[in-house]
Amino acid sequence: MRGTVYYMKRFAGLILAAAMLCGLCGCGGAPADPDKAQESIQVIAMDTVMIFSVYGEKSTHAAYAAEDEMRRLEDLLSRTDEESQIFALNSAGGQPVTVDSEVSRLLNTSGMYSDVTGGAFDITIAPVVSAWGFTTDSYQVPARADLEELLTHVGMEHVHQSGDSVRLDQGTQIDLGGIAKGYASDRVAQIFAENNIPRATAALGGNVLAWGDRPDETPWRVGIQDPKVPDDRNTLACLLHLTDAFAVTSGGYQRYFEEDGKTYQHIIDPATGYPADSGLTSVTVVADCDRESLDGLPGAGTMCDALSTALYVMGEDEALDFWRNCGLDIDLVLVTADDRVVVTAGLADAYEAIEGSGYTYEVVS
Amino acid sequence: MKLTTKQLTLCAVLTAMALALSYLENFFPLSLAIPIPGIKLGLANIVTVFALYALGPGQALLILLARCFLGAVFAGNMNALIFSLLGGVTAMLVMIGLSRLRKLSVYGVSVGGAAAHNCGQVAAAVLTLGNTAPLYYLPVLLGVSLFTGALTGLISACLFRALAHTDLMKG
Amino acid sequence: MKSSPKLRPCGWDALVVLLVLLLAVGCGAAVWGGNEATHDLTAVISVDGETAETVALSSLSGPEERTLTANGYTLHLVLSPEEVYMEAADCPTQDCVHTGHISRSGQSIVCLPARVIVRLEGGQKDESAPDVVIG
């Protein structure tokens, strides 16, 4: 017969094993709701600061996947990186260059937005922007004759595309800076969808993606910076309540220089070669981000980016006409030089006036 | 503390062994399975347990301190010293206490030591970072210490059995 | 051998295990069960995408200065219990200095040329503050 000591030992061993198992299950489990898990990263890419704030079980993975994608696009679309396809295209000297289908799709899209905006958005404005020194931070006011000469190379008719083979006329240069971050935000939306991210915000400079809603299930609060206070991101002209939406702001205040008491800002009117002087200080274009139709192709984010630049060039009246007649599902917030904030009807319930900002607010339809 | 030549030699050998075990641990990267910074098996604890029983608390502490200092010197990382010291000394104090309780086996002492080691390390992290965030890891670390403690306990038990009939410890 | 310990696990060892378990569960309840928003306001300083330092502002007794050198530029950052600001920098744009003082969770100071980002995280979140600012 076995003694009690034996059973005591057996019992002790069992308790030990059971307790350890509990220990692992109890402690190894994830803390609380996986939707509450959050990853927030900042990335400097494409000449801007990007902030990804991602929620959900795969938040960390999605945030870093987004960072990797930004680096890839930066390498692919940069105008200054000598390894990039855009650089190759610009330095081909009139010879055709075969580009990735991704790049050729973006060029197609650029052409399309140039068409619908009557040339107010134009990726071939690049040499003119460079002449003003906005690409190198060595600002200068170019001679009118020089601008006239450069303008003869501006226009999508100088870009010849057949399939993935692209040829630029001699003297024509392209810069996808006006559309690249919008396209990047489309790709970010797709990465969020692939990782079942319930909610997130992605701020890519002037391009914002509000994915899902806030953790408290109210819409994301997206501020539009006051163009009069370019140095302070915390002074707002307007606040938008957005769920599943892209919002892109273009404004001269984002980059400018002063010479002889005159301010020159970075958005160039392709028609004149001079900085757009349309009475607007910033244009925000908002469009829904439809989770069901994200395929990674240039989408609503790209559209908002291209249109915000174009509408800024057009000015208030022309921009509102465009909004009424374009047949695109977009809404606008226009900030004018005479201290008005003009909001289109679709945002009537989604905008919030900023008290004490000095702006008057009006909704148009 | 006055040490005989034999004791001194033994201390030196055990310190060397502890350092070797710390190094050996790098080949079992537990952090791959459980992604928590600083998580490890704690094999060097075997030496501490052994020294505690075979040589007594004084010399065990001596070995521990030597191991921590030399480990930091070899790693070229003096910042790691506060972590290993705080972890090691906390573990040592708890194990001295537990080993006084004659009813406990080497397993219980080991588990207690491992848990205390983790508490000490988390405390060090909180102190150096000036942030309470590392506290989040403590519950998991304590859970894991049940396993690592049992493992070092098992190895220590084998060690004592193997050496029980030698005269290595006598005198 | 001064004294050999018991070499087989016994019931008393289970007591130690239970004690550790209780401690783990207790700690778990304390740190995970509590309100998640109780983290102190923390400045996260990152250089070239790597987090260089995290400073809990509440742990500071008074203003402290940090000198950050990165990508050929030197920045002087001031951290205090209430706010963070870039006092001086030798970067060409000076955007970081112009950003001014930041004091709320989610705000950040950025120096693009030096690739330095200082961001405030945690702390009491102001429910009416914007989550993102386009600019």
Side-chain angles (χ1 to χ4, degrees), chain B residues 8-79:
Chain B
L8 191 65
T9 318
L10 208 55
C11 283
V13 169
L14 285 173
T15 306
M17 276 179 65
L19 280 166
L21 283 171
S22 304
Y23 180 71
L24 190 71
E25 237 168 23
N26 297 334
F27 297 102
F28 304 97
L30 199 56
S31 56
L32 287 187
I34 306 160
I36 288 183
I39 193 166
K40 52 186 183 181
L41 283 175
L43 291 181
N45 219 25
I46 297 168
V47 173
T48 309
V49 173
F50 181 76
L52 191 57
Y53 283 105
L55 307 171
Q59 289 172 55
L61 193 64
L62 213 60
I63 293 168
L64 175 81
L65 293 178
R67 191 242 302 172
C68 290
F69 276 109
L70 288 175
V73 169
F74 290 160
N77 180 4
M78 278 328 219
N79 290 332

Side-chain angles (χ1 to χ4, degrees), chain B residues 53 103 105-106 108 136 169, chain C residues 1 6 8 12-13 39:
Chain B
Y53 283 105
K103 294 230 155 69
S105 79
V106 69
Y136 276 69
M169 313 302 162
Chain C
M1 197 59 99
K6 295 212 281 188
R8 287 174 189 285
W12 295 98
D13 291 329
H39 272 294

Side-chain angles (χ1 to χ4, degrees), chain A residues 224-230 235-238 253 279-282 333-342 351-362:
Chain A
I224 296 176
Q225 189 183 336
D226 185 346
K228 282 186 301 197
V229 196
T235 309
L236 305 181
C238 184
Y253 68 92
L280 293 176
T281 50
S282 90
V333 179
L334 311 177
V335 183
T336 71
D338 56 0
D339 291 342
R340 286 175 301 123
V341 174
V342 181
Y351 88 97
E352 194 179 302
I354 306 294
E355 263 179 63
S357 66
Y359 286 101
T360 53
Y361 295 80
E362 50 192 83

Side-chain angles (χ1 to χ4, degrees), chain C residues 1 35-36 41 43 46 49 52 59 63 73 80 84 88-90 102 104-105 116 118 121 135:
Chain C
M1 197 59 99
N35 189 358
E36 292 191 33
L41 196 59
S46 78
S59 72
Y73 299 107
S80 80
V84 176
D90 58 3
I102 59 171
R104 285 203 313 264
S105 179
V116 167
V118 184
E121 290 178 355

Side-chain angles (χ1 to χ4, degrees), chain A residues 42 206 214 221 223 233-234, chain C residues 119 127-128 131-134:
Chain A
Q42 295 103 53
R214 302 209 313 178
R221 301 167 65 84
R233 295 174 61 88
N234 301 306
Chain C
R119 185 171 156 86
E127 283 302 306
S128 64
D131 301 296
V132 238
V133 175
I134 334 176

